[in-house]
Amino acid sequence: MNLISLFITSAIVNNIIFSQFLGACPFLGVSKKIDTAAGMGIAVIFVITLASVITYIVQKAILDTLGLQYLQTIMFILIIAALVQFVEMFLKKSAPGLYQALGIYLPLITTNCAVLGVAIINITKEYSFIEAMVNSVGTSLGFLIAIVLFAGVRDKVDNADLPESLKGSAISLVAAGLMSIAFLGFSGLQL
Amino acid sequence: MNKLDIFKNGVTKENPILVQQVGMCATLAVTTSLLNGIGMGIAVIAVLTGSNIVISLLRKFIPDEVRIPAFVIIIAAFTTIVDLLMHAYTFALYQALGVFIPLIVVNCLILARAEAFAFKNGVVDSIVDGLGMGVGYLVAMILLSSVREFLGNGTLFGINVLPASYEPMMIAIQPPGAFIILGLLIGLVNYLSRRKKA
Amino acid sequence: MKNSYVRLGGILFLIAAISAGVLAFLNDSTKDLIAKNEAMAATSPEVLEAVMPGSVMFNDYADAALVETIKSENGKFVNLQTAVDGSNNELGYVVRTFSTVAGYGGDMELFVGISPDGKITGVNVVSHSETSGLGSRTTEPSFTSQFAGKDATAEITDFDAITGATKSSKSFLSAVNNAISIYDQYLK
């Protein structure tokens, strides 16, 4: 598979939310307004890409060479947690503007299964380093697209006149399902 | 709170999926068949109860400042134990659940119970809490996966339960079905609990 | 202040070390079963049944040096394995090889099963690029099943080619014959 089609596949065709279901918690939790959704999406791109670089190197250089593959889960989650802390401290000091915009989302990202999920998928699919990077950027871009689009839809849904029981997360999930149907259409793309 | 209340709390009043809506990724992804849903539910019960036990045993030993990283290590260790055991003994299920087994570690439900319950309560209560929340998770998985498999494939546990003339609603086992059916299930639960209150 | 950092780090390290120790032990005790599961999953049940009826998996051939020798002497040869049944009894050899005569889309890659007493047990196509609907029919059981039971001690010359796909059929046959020559030369 060439890199461009890998990119399009990971961003749109196999969209991380609508077909892989990774990152569903922040997707439902932080999508009430378009600008917070965009902030979360950008923070996720940032962390997923960084985390993928580091976990890929650790897997190949340490775990594979020492035969310690069974420590993958522990290593990866610790790397991600440490990385998020580090990024937070770094942004606070050197880019206060960016920190104000993204800071509140960073702690939430540690338990965002998208980050760990992409790191593990890069390894199990036996991607090369370049392919892993393309997959990470594409997948996280797909997350941004999904969460921003969804926030737009939700804005309207929340103001709709609905039966009391369906209000909130129930109708949000149904709306996400309808968007997922739209994304199913992309699976017809010949890449 | 007595033991029965702790247990019932997890299954009904604070059901992790249907009421708290945490740990959604795996819920949506693996409920394409009843067998997968039950398998995932049991895996989560094992990790949740195991980490609850260890964390409540170590609660005097773990300093407050580093409790979160300590929880993460313990939960990751239990996740890996479940991963290895399923890889060795239930291989078909292991393949079906794929990446969602290691992802149990980031299931917010487990970290939340460690922080909110196990770190503050004794071992026995923590076991009951783990089992209660775990069973609540399993019940929701069974509900969702049985509806999806029934509509999407006309089967339950892979056995035909509908006449051959039934045209399966493919959408139910495809990704959109996961969102829509879970949304409707949550709506139903809201409706029932509102009626009970009224 | 410094001391408390050391203490905190020490406690975390202790928890991590104990966890790693438990996992190392468990990994060690499950790794044989896991390797067996992976090996069984590497080949699909349909392929197993087609190549060597009754087999549950293909194991690497015990004499790795021999496999390397065949590789260096026979350019089309890919791998030699042993087919085993559920109770780990060896049922026969499985030769994986490319064809020596190209079809329309280049070489075809086949699994050829050969029993210890020198009969072909079955053939399955691993990969090919023959024309869909014509040459691709060499992958169908109606064509491949004619080889089962044939003598593997001599080259096969007599077979029913697919009408309109003679070149693909001959490419297929050349791969079977390459497996036969490997059996005759190294395994008989």
Side-chain angles (χ1 to χ4, degrees):
Chain A
M1 190 154 46
N2 72 46
L3 295 177
I4 295 171
S5 65
L6 176 64
F7 183 76
I8 296 175
T9 306
S10 57
I12 295 175
V13 182
N14 280 337
N15 185 278
I16 181 166
I17 301 281
F18 294 126
S19 82
Q20 300 190 66
F21 305 110
L22 295 173
C25 287
F27 175 72
L28 296 168
V30 202
S31 57
K32 294 209 170 78
K33 278 202 204 127
I34 292 191
D35 44 347
T36 50
M40 183 70 181
I42 291 166
V44 163
I45 295 185
F46 198 59
V47 173
I48 285 191
T49 311
L50 264 179
S52 298
V53 174
I54 300 176
T55 52
Y56 193 90
I57 294 170
V58 166
Q59 173 80 25
K60 299 292 164 185
I62 301 177
L63 298 183
D64 281 358
T65 39
L66 298 179
L68 293 175
Q69 284 90 347
Y70 61 92
L71 291 180
Q72 188 192 54
T73 310
I74 287 197
M75 282 297 265
F76 280 19
I77 190 69
L78 287 179
I79 290 172
I80 292 168
L83 180 76
V84 170
Q85 283 280 316
F86 199 72
V87 167
E88 199 178 347
M89 281 174 357
F90 178 80
L91 286 184
K92 208 173 189 172
K93 271 202 179 138
S94 56
L98 199 58
Y99 177 75
Q100 279 214 317
L102 301 184
I104 49 165
Y105 308 110
L106 286 169
L108 289 173
I109 293 180
T110 310
T111 52
N112 179 343
C113 50
V115 185
L116 183 62
V118 172
I120 294 177
I121 287 171
N122 280 338
I123 307 297
T124 48
K125 289 237 172 119
E126 297 179 356
Y127 284 141
S128 71
F129 185 72
I130 302 289
E131 285 170 339
M133 290 311 105
V134 171
N135 182 50
S136 308
V137 176
T139 308
S140 47
L141 187 68
F143 181 83
L144 174 70
I145 295 172
I147 197 168
V148 169
L149 285 178
F150 186 58
V153 171
R154 219 171 150 173
D155 217 24
K156 304 272 175 225
V157 170
D158 283 350
N159 292 324
D161 184 23
L162 284 164
E164 207 52 44
S165 309
L166 281 178
K167 276 190 179 159
S169 53
I171 197 68
S172 301
L173 279 163
V174 174
L178 296 176
M179 291 180 69
S180 170
I181 293 180
F183 270 74
L184 260 190
F186 288 115
S187 60
L189 276 180
Q190 289 283 334
L191 290 168
Chain B
M1 224 173 6
N2 72 38
K3 311 272 179 277
L4 190 67
D5 284 338
I6 298 176
F7 185 81
K8 265 180 22 196
N9 189 37
V11 181
T12 55
K13 221 189 303 163
E14 283 183 36
N15 186 295
I17 298 176
L18 299 173
V19 181
Q20 301 184 59
Q21 285 134 33
V22 291
M24 297 295 251
C25 312
T27 311
L28 293 163
V30 305
T31 46
T32 48
S33 78
L34 188 48
L35 197 63
N36 290 352
I38 292 176
M40 192 70 201
I42 292 173
V44 168
I45 293 181
V47 175
L48 181 55
T49 313
S51 58
N52 260 9
I53 292 173
V54 172
I55 288 166
S56 90
L57 280 175
L58 294 180
R59 70 185 189 281
K60 303 252 160 58
F61 172 73
I62 299 173
D64 247 16
E65 298 91 319
V66 292
R67 65 181 195 285
I68 300 290
F71 294 166
V72 169
I73 295 173
I74 292 166
I75 295 168
F78 273 102
T79 306
T80 311
I81 290 173
V82 168
D83 183 287
L84 286 170
L85 291 176
M86 291 180 76
H87 203 163
Y89 297 105
T90 58
F91 189 66
L93 191 61
Y94 177 83
Q95 283 189 311
L97 300 182
V99 72
F100 291 98
I101 300 174
L103 286 183
I104 294 175
V105 73
V106 282
N107 187 322
C108 348
L109 167 65
I110 296 168
L111 193 61
R113 291 332 285 172
E115 168 84 2
F117 200 95
F119 200 58
K120 301 186 184 120
N121 289 284
V123 183
V124 182
D125 282 357
S126 298
I127 294 176
V128 177
D129 177 70
L131 286 175
M133 284 289 163
V135 171
Y137 184 86
L138 177 67
V139 167
M141 293 295 272
I142 291 175
L143 275 177
L144 184 58
S145 58
S146 54
V147 172
R148 289 185 71 191
E149 190 184 338
F150 182 77
L151 293 177
N153 218 4
T155 60
L156 285 175
F157 289 117
I159 298 161
N160 272 313
V161 286
L162 287 173
S165 58
Y166 174 73
E167 191 70 47
M169 252 166 74
M170 281 299 291
I171 195 86
I173 47 173
Q174 283 174 320
F179 288 108
I180 295 173
I181 294 171
L182 182 58
L184 295 178
L185 267 180
I186 290 175
L188 182 68
V189 169
N190 288 346
Y191 176 72
L192 293 177
S193 64
R194 280 161 47 83
R195 252 194 22 178
K196 211 170 150 193
K197 259 180 231 152
Chain C
M1 192 64 195
K2 265 260 167 63
N3 264 334
S4 87
Y5 274 129
V6 173
R7 196 176 71 91
L8 295 180
I11 289 175
L12 271 188
F13 180 78
L14 196 66
I15 294 176
I18 293 172
S19 306
V22 172
L23 294 180
F25 169 75
L26 193 68
N27 181 60
D28 223 44
S29 40
T30 52
K31 76 169 178 244
D32 290 341
L33 253 169
I34 289 174
K36 192 176 157 224
N37 284 336
E38 290 291 345
M40 281 177 75
T43 328
S44 75
E46 294 78 31
V47 174
L48 291 165
E49 199 55 33
V51 175
M52 185 80 61
S55 65
V56 296
M57 66 191 270
F58 297 161
N59 283 335
D60 287 335
Y61 191 68
D63 185 355
L66 177 68
V67 178
E68 285 312 310
T69 314
I70 307 177
K71 263 185 199 160
S72 63
E73 292 174 9
N74 188 317
K76 298 295 184 183
F77 168 80
V78 181
N79 198 8
L80 171 66
Q81 292 172 297
T82 334
V84 295
D85 68 10
S87 12
N88 228 12
N89 298 315
E90 293 190 0
L91 300 176
Y93 308 105
V94 177
V95 181
R96 183 168 175 171
T97 173
F98 284 103
S99 47
T100 55
V101 178
Y104 273 104
D107 287 344
M108 302 178 78
E109 190 181 0
L110 263 58
F111 274 129
V112 181
I114 300 175
S115 66
D117 60 350
K119 292 267 190 295
I120 289 182
T121 54
V123 185
N124 192 272
V125 177
V126 180
S127 67
H128 77 94
S129 339
E130 301 303 294
T131 320
S132 174
L134 276 172
S136 71
R137 286 169 59 205
T138 52
T139 62
E140 292 168 9
S142 55
F143 175 76
T144 57
S145 63
Q146 65 173 308
F147 294 94
K150 285 208 182 205
D151 188 13
T153 52
E155 190 174 315
I156 298 173
T157 49
D158 179 31
F159 82 118
D160 295 323
I162 286 174
T163 317
T166 320
K167 195 166 175 183
S168 305
S169 306
K170 284 192 172 149
S171 176
F172 185 100
L173 178 70
S174 74
V176 177
N177 277 328
N178 194 41
I180 289 176
S181 74
I182 288 164
Y183 171 76
D184 288 342
Q185 199 178 334
Y186 305 97
L187 301 170
K188 198 162 61 174

